[in-house]
Amino acid sequence: MTQYLYPQNLRATANLWLWSLKDFCILGIAALLSIIILVQARIVIPVAVTLCYGFLTIRMDETTVLDFIKYAVRYFIITQQEFYWR
């Protein structure tokens, strides 16, 4: 008899460690390319950009750091706040 194990939420996105699967693939390819550029041309900027992308796409409870920054910018800078004094 075969037993299958299913996750609790079938509509949830696939995650690998702290990143979504899409972000993990992008991060892996970017890391590989930035290491090649670092070794060949001794340019550190692609490594820094890759590390920043890796930090900004860490996913905790279905929210990334980048999403949190977007929400904060939208709340504090972009949208108009209404205050009613009584």
Side-chain angles (χ1 to χ4, degrees):
M1 176 152 60
T2 305
Q3 182 178 3
Y4 296 102
L5 298 174
Y6 292 103
Q8 295 293 328
N9 186 2
L10 294 176
R11 294 185 187 266
T13 59
N15 290 333
L16 188 62
W17 293 306
L18 296 176
W19 295 274
S20 70
L21 201 55
K22 178 191 76 150
D23 291 333
F24 190 78
C25 290
I26 292 171
L27 192 59
I29 293 169
L32 182 66
L33 290 175
S34 59
I35 289 172
I36 291 171
I37 291 171
L38 178 66
V39 169
Q40 295 295 323
R42 300 200 190 281
I43 300 173
V44 184
I45 294 172
V47 174
V49 170
T50 303
L51 290 175
C52 287
Y53 179 77
F55 174 73
L56 291 176
T57 56
I58 290 176
R59 183 169 297 278
M60 289 290 183
D61 297 331
E62 296 301 318
T63 303
T64 63
V65 175
L66 187 60
D67 291 338
F68 181 75
I69 291 171
K70 287 179 188 176
Y71 297 149
V73 166
R74 189 178 305 139
Y75 181 77
F76 290 114
I77 297 173
I78 296 175
T79 60
Q80 171 111 19
Q81 301 294 320
E82 295 182 18
F83 297 101
Y84 296 107
W85 295 88
R86 293 185 187 188

